[in-house]
Amino acid sequence: MESTSRARTTSQQGRLALSWKLTAIIFAIGIPLGGATLGAALSVLIAPLLIREAQRKGEDPWGTLTAPLIALAAVSALSSIFGEAPRGGLLFSLGLLVLGGGSLLVGRRIARDPIFLRRAFLPALVVSTVAISVYVLYQSFGLDIRRTTGLTSYTNRMGTLLMFSGILGLGYLLSLKGRLRWLAMPYGVLVAVAMLTTLSRAAWVGGLVGAVILAFRRPRQGLVLLLVALLAGGALLGSRPAWQARFLSIFNVQRNMDRLEMWDASVRIFADHPILGIGPTSFPSIAPEYIERQDWRLHATPHNFVLTVAAEMGLAGLLALAWLGARVTRALAVLGRQRDPLRWGLGAALLALVVNDLFGQGFFTSQVGAVLWLTLGLVDGHQQGPAGEASDSTLRPAAAT
């Protein structure tokens, strides 16, 4: 009887491991392709199994970021009830809690299996990133598409996903042993050029921030390589008039009036609705009341995630966001204590994603939002070792660097 029970338990553990690892691989392949939503949906299905497994082992299944996520979703729901679009807001709040929570759990589980992280998840991400980068370059140079979209149908979203996958992939490749780490050079060049073809200025700025963070891991060599990369990038921008014009538009106030007016409108909305805001998904219907110019282009959010939370969830939402930010900052500080390129790549990719969304609206889509919560799970989960004890070895360097 005991042997039968043990065999049944072993079989259940095997099925659980297969389910979460398959979900993780689908996530890894889907991120660069714009298919992270599928990974997030699967993560919701296996979330109860992951919770049960952690509890059986005496581990904490929630981590440090689940409480801020619940607080943010609760504020979102409350703002929706008193907001301008309760149905849309409540659906958004439910999606935030369910898809965000599932992605967070899977990210934590991946981080607690460093062998799987290095030998399966990250290689799958890199291969998928290379494939979509080649396709994006074909769209630009073969089909003569001015702004490439890959498989996402949105230029800015494609740029965001390439930026994130490129930086995280660089961190992984730099952590490999011996000559394999030199794969980081062609990989970085390929993804950077592919990202340029999207003409996503937010992704360009976020990518630059991520590159600078990686460079400071080893300041002397890193800053030299960064300078060379910037010079090469400048020459490439200069060789393509459309790219050069798009880059120069970053510094042109008139070319950015839509975004500036949306930012101004969101601040004024917050001033008029300071406690709970106007409710999630309400910005497009309310913003025209705060913008006098008639020819401005309407967007779903003001293209800044902080201002979006301020306008749609008010001070309560900002406090929940600040709570999440404080806990993430503490986790990133732990990541940066060692010089492991993978640790730094993970932190750089997350911070680049945040900077990107200071000028975009990716977090409010499942394609990018799921990536954010998965990454937060990876950052949070590395603090818990495979045995369930606090550990600094989850992302231990593969070799001295």
Side-chain angles (χ1 to χ4, degrees):
M1 181 70 70
E2 184 179 346
S3 61
T4 302
S5 176
R6 187 180 299 116
R8 186 182 299 114
T9 301
T10 302
S11 176
Q12 291 173 347
Q13 292 175 353
R15 288 196 296 270
L16 172 61
L18 178 63
S19 64
W20 77 257
K21 288 181 178 180
L22 180 60
T23 299
I25 292 298
I26 292 173
F27 234 133
I29 295 173
I31 286 173
L33 305 181
T37 305
L38 176 58
L42 292 174
S43 71
V44 174
L45 297 178
I46 68 168
L49 300 177
L50 292 176
I51 294 171
R52 196 177 306 137
E53 178 201 36
Q55 291 174 337
R56 182 177 54 80
K57 294 181 178 180
E59 300 174 356
D60 174 19
W62 307 111
T64 64
L65 304 182
T66 302
L69 168 61
I70 293 174
L72 194 60
V75 170
S76 176
L78 189 61
S79 298
S80 301
I81 294 172
F82 295 99
E84 302 293 329
R87 180 179 300 178
L90 287 173
L91 287 175
F92 171 83
S93 305
L94 179 63
L96 173 63
L97 179 63
V98 174
L99 294 182
S103 302
L104 194 65
L105 279 171
V106 170
R108 281 177 50 79
R109 187 62 185 87
I110 294 170
R112 283 162 38 217
D113 191 337
I115 295 177
F116 174 79
L117 174 68
R118 288 182 177 273
R119 295 183 182 178
F121 180 82
L122 291 172
L125 176 78
V126 167
V127 170
S128 182
T129 304
V130 169
I132 194 61
S133 295
V134 171
Y135 178 63
V136 163
L137 292 177
Y138 169 69
Q139 284 185 320
S140 179
F141 297 102
L143 302 179
D144 199 27
I145 296 176
R146 180 177 176 271
R147 296 190 66 182
T148 58
T149 60
L151 302 177
T152 67
S153 301
Y154 296 95
T155 54
N156 290 332
R157 207 166 300 171
M158 187 71 257
T160 299
L161 296 174
L162 283 170
M163 173 206 70
F164 171 84
S165 303
I167 294 171
L168 182 55
L170 273 177
Y172 163 66
L173 292 173
L174 288 171
S175 72
L176 296 178
K177 295 180 180 179
R179 295 180 180 179
L180 287 175
R181 70 184 60 183
W182 287 102
L183 291 172
M185 185 174 296
Y187 176 81
V189 171
L190 174 68
V191 179
V193 176
M195 186 176 67
L196 285 175
T197 67
T198 67
L199 300 188
S200 173
R201 298 173 298 177
W204 293 356
V205 174
L208 178 60
V209 170
V212 170
I213 292 172
L214 277 178
F216 272 97
R217 172 186 158 263
R218 300 182 68 177
R220 184 175 300 177
Q221 301 95 323
L223 290 178
V224 171
L225 289 174
L226 180 63
L227 178 60
V228 172
L230 290 175
L231 291 174
L236 190 58
L237 284 172
S239 68
R240 305 273 294 188
W243 297 4
Q244 183 180 20
R246 184 68 174 169
F247 174 75
L248 293 177
S249 71
I250 295 175
F251 311 100
N252 188 321
V253 174
Q254 293 302 318
R255 294 285 300 275
N256 293 284
M257 284 306 299
D258 278 356
R259 183 175 276 106
L260 293 174
E261 289 189 356
M262 288 191 297
W263 289 358
D264 177 67
S266 63
V267 171
R268 292 163 62 193
I269 290 172
F270 173 68
D272 289 344
H273 306 269
I275 306 302
L276 291 174
I278 57 176
T281 74
S282 296
F283 182 79
S285 61
I286 301 299
E289 302 175 12
Y290 291 84
I291 297 178
E292 298 178 0
R293 189 162 61 94
Q294 299 299 315
D295 61 342
W296 74 288
R297 191 155 53 102
L298 185 64
H299 292 274
T301 77
H303 276 62
N304 179 296
F305 78 98
V306 176
L307 292 178
T308 301
V309 171
E312 296 189 341
M313 302 183 203
L315 183 60
L318 289 176
L319 289 175
L321 185 64
W323 185 17
L324 175 66
R327 291 203 167 181
V328 172
T329 300
R330 186 170 60 184
L332 287 174
V334 175
L335 275 178
R337 287 175 188 167
Q338 295 188 4
R339 292 297 179 181
D340 177 15
L342 180 52
R343 288 177 181 265
W344 279 62
L346 182 58
L350 175 59
L351 291 174
L353 203 57
V354 170
V355 169
N356 175 90
D357 243 51
L358 290 174
F359 308 96
Q361 55 188 9
F363 290 170
F364 299 91
T365 70
S366 58
Q367 287 177 314
V368 177
V371 177
L372 167 71
W373 290 106
L374 179 81
T375 309
L376 290 175
L378 287 169
V379 169
D380 187 44
H382 87 280
Q383 299 176 84
Q384 184 175 359
E389 300 176 355
S391 172
D392 240 9
S393 65
T394 306
L395 296 178
R396 182 178 295 132
T401 56

